[in-house]
Amino acid sequence: MVMPTRFLRVAMAGAMLLPASGHAWADQPNQTTPAPASLWQRDALFGSWGGLKSWLAGNGVTLGATEQAVPSNVLGGGARQGNAFSGLLTLSTRADLARYTGISGLTAYVSAWVAQGHGPTAYTVHSLSGLAYVEAPDGARLADAYLSWRAPHDAIHVKLGKFGIDENFDQNPAAATLLDSNFTYRDIMANNLPGGGPAYSYEGPGAMLAVQATKPLRLRIGLFGGDPLGRPLEGPPPPARDAGGLAFPLDVGALAIAEADYAYRLPDFGKGKFLIGGLYDTLARPDLLVSASGRSLARSDPAPARQDRGEYVLYAGDTQTIWHGTGKRRLRGFARIAYAPPAQNLISLDAQAGVVLDAPFTARPGDSAAFAVAYEKISARKVSFVRAQNRLAGTPAPIPSGETDIELDYNAALAPWLTATPDLQYIVHPGGGIADPNDPPRREPNAVLVQLQLTIAF
């Protein structure tokens, strides 16, 4: 198998982070390698890679390689039923630069993604949410590449380079095992923002500053390029603008985001965290209903869409421990809501709620079970467009309303390097109520699918 050229370039970029040394690792005759742990006890499938990882760690470099494989089957509904597969290999290098620069808390991080196959989202269900969050255009691309500096006790944290808002803002740790991407990076951002916003699977150039203002209060601000894919080009679909993830577009507007989270504790319950934030993108977005001449886009000979500025998202969320048992057993709940202006956005409201039971069985303290529901409301502007189109063209297309995603999963820690997550999802009104390609006057049927995510740390 020949590795893609772009992937080789990414791998070489990661290798550049390895520290210079007077002797190569292979030239260390006295290098001792600890006795390997048994297969089911080791942290990684291949252990310390013959001592290489241990030696690099002693020199401030941490290597990572993780595969997430997700076979799935649409059992009913959707546009069609059948099997699918999506996978994601993540390769990473983290270097502790403090020992080489003398700047305490300074690190560098580079990672690459190798996406494989395709999942059920775009091909069979046509849902607003990514039904397996590892789904992405297949191929190799640069993921993150940034410098990070942390003051003692994380009083200040600065990041500069290429990274995503999904891993730094609007965090939802209680939903970490859920596969539906909406619980990790909200659909109201992924579907509305230019280029999907700086997030998986196309991060963007940016900077972030986080300050622990008081013990319970943390403030964060970030500034990113307005479109992680760069300027639109004629012809290829948007992902082809930066297929290798090597672009750092800085001339496509700006996306600013700010957030505050507050940690608290409720008597008789436990720890909780409330967050509130918002983002604003300076790039204009095409109106969903009105043309540049002020006429309806539903007409048969419309002018180009009017360009609307004022692209923003306001969001809030809360995670609360509801019950504590013995050991690691606990029940947590979360609730999240977000709003975006309806004129230029497909989704105007995103609401979610769920519960997570950690250590459901005393004999399996590393397992968890989760149940969650999300609702994405189709904007009134989009609804008006479809109604006008039906009226003017005499078509009976279904009127969209919103999509509801219901998910149940179990996360089983089989070994330190292996977890298995069987997952069941039920999607009500895929795409918000789009036409069934097999019977256009009717909505696409509700979909039910099962998935199994295997996470393997090499």
Side-chain angles (χ1 to χ4, degrees), residues 40-61:
W40 299 104
Q41 295 177 334
R42 61 184 62 167
D43 292 332
L45 175 60
F46 299 137
S48 66
W49 297 3
L52 174 61
K53 289 174 67 177
S54 300
W55 180 79
L56 288 173
N59 286 275
V61 176

Side-chain angles (χ1 to χ4, degrees), residues 100-150:
Y100 303 106
T101 65
I103 303 175
S104 177
L106 182 64
T107 60
Y109 181 82
V110 171
S111 62
W113 289 317
V114 184
Q116 312 119 36
H118 63 78
T121 302
Y123 290 85
T124 57
V125 179
H126 304 148
S127 55
L128 296 172
S129 294
L131 303 178
Y133 64 76
V134 302
E135 291 182 77
D138 60 356
R141 64 185 61 92
L142 177 68
D144 294 298
Y146 61 80
L147 293 174
S148 172
W149 176 76
R150 294 178 182 270

Side-chain angles (χ1 to χ4, degrees), residues 249-298:
L250 299 174
D251 58 346
V252 285
L255 183 151
I257 184 169
E259 179 181 293
D261 62 60
Y262 185 83
Y264 62 90
R265 188 180 187 93
L266 293 180
D268 302 323
F269 286 95
K271 295 180 179 179
K273 180 171 287 188
F274 174 78
L275 66 83
I276 186 170
L279 62 83
Y280 182 86
D281 198 303
T282 63
L283 292 179
R285 301 288 285 157
D287 193 283
L288 296 180
L289 179 62
V290 181
S291 72
S293 62
R295 305 174 73 180
S296 173
L297 290 171

Side-chain angles (χ1 to χ4, degrees), residues 43 98 176 188 245 283 316 327 343 352 364 409 435 438:
D43 292 332
I188 202 169
L283 292 179
Q352 311 172 10
R364 301 196 58 81
D409 77 11
N438 304 309

Side-chain angles (χ1 to χ4, degrees), residues 25-407:
W25 169 73
D27 295 333
Q28 305 298 311
N30 297 322
Q31 179 73 27
T32 59
T33 302
S38 69
L39 176 64
W40 299 104
Q41 295 177 334
R42 61 184 62 167
D43 292 332
L45 175 60
F46 299 137
S48 66
W49 297 3
L52 174 61
K53 289 174 67 177
S54 300
W55 180 79
L56 288 173
N59 286 275
V61 176
T62 304
L63 298 181
T66 302
E67 171 72 19
Q68 294 165 286
V70 188
S72 62
N73 184 277
V74 178
L75 301 176
R80 57 182 180 273
Q81 293 77 53
N83 299 317
F85 172 85
S86 56
L88 178 68
L89 174 64
T90 303
L91 305 173
S92 62
T93 303
R94 186 182 302 276
D96 179 7
L97 300 184
R99 63 172 60 205
Y100 303 106
T101 65
I103 303 175
S104 177
L106 182 64
T107 60
Y109 181 82
V110 171
S111 62
W113 289 317
V114 184
Q116 312 119 36
H118 63 78
T121 302
Y123 290 85
T124 57
V125 179
H126 304 148
S127 55
L128 296 172
S129 294
L131 303 178
Y133 64 76
V134 302
E135 291 182 77
D138 60 356
R141 64 185 61 92
L142 177 68
D144 294 298
Y146 61 80
L147 293 174
S148 172
W149 176 76
R150 294 178 182 270
H153 311 295
D154 273 351
I156 300 174
H157 181 202
V158 178
K159 289 178 75 170
L160 179 65
K162 188 170 188 175
F163 55 97
I165 60 176
D166 54 334
E167 62 199 48
N168 296 277
F169 294 87
D170 193 24
Q171 297 293 284
N172 186 19
T177 66
L178 292 167
L179 303 193
D180 190 310
S181 64
N182 193 18
F183 299 112
T184 303
Y185 179 55
R186 302 186 200 234
D187 290 344
I188 202 169
M189 299 178 188
N191 285 271
N192 291 345
L193 294 176
Y200 178 79
S201 62
Y202 290 94
E203 313 283 52
M208 184 196 75
L209 171 64
V211 177
Q212 197 72 41
T214 65
K215 187 174 181 180
L217 177 64
R218 180 175 54 177
L219 307 174
R220 279 187 284 191
I221 58 173
L223 184 64
F224 297 82
D227 186 337
L229 299 177
R231 292 189 178 278
L233 300 176
E234 297 296 331
R241 287 189 260 154
D242 185 19
L246 299 175
F248 285 71
L250 299 174
D251 58 346
V252 285
L255 183 151
I257 184 169
E259 179 181 293
D261 62 60
Y262 185 83
Y264 62 90
R265 188 180 187 93
L266 293 180
D268 302 323
F269 286 95
K271 295 180 179 179
K273 180 171 287 188
F274 174 78
L275 66 83
I276 186 170
L279 62 83
Y280 182 86
D281 198 303
T282 63
L283 292 179
R285 301 288 285 157
D287 193 283
L288 296 180
L289 179 62
V290 181
S291 72
S293 62
R295 305 174 73 180
S296 173
L297 290 171
R299 296 176 61 89
S300 59
D301 54 345
R306 185 181 72 194
Q307 296 297 306
D308 294 330
R309 295 194 177 273
E311 178 63 81
Y312 66 88
V313 178
L314 302 176
Y315 62 87
D318 185 77
T319 302
Q320 172 64 53
T321 299
I322 302 171
W323 170 79
H324 252 301
T326 58
K328 295 183 178 181
R329 181 172 291 184
R330 62 176 175 170
L331 180 66
R332 293 176 289 162
F334 68 86
R336 310 167 83 208
I337 192 166
Y339 171 83
Q344 67 269 44
N345 290 311
L346 176 65
I347 302 172
S348 59
L349 180 69
D350 187 326
Q352 311 172 10
V355 291
V356 181
L357 177 60
D358 297 316
F361 305 104
T362 54
R364 301 196 58 81
D367 292 3
S368 64
F371 174 79
V373 179
Y375 173 73
E376 300 92 60
K377 183 180 184 297
I378 299 298
S379 71
R381 201 74 142 211
K382 179 64 175 180
V383 173
S384 296
F385 170 78
V386 176
R387 290 187 187 277
Q389 198 173 44
N390 284 350
R391 183 177 64 256
L392 292 171
T395 57
I399 305 301
S401 55
E403 176 180 299
T404 301
D405 304 342
I406 303 171
E407 182 174 6

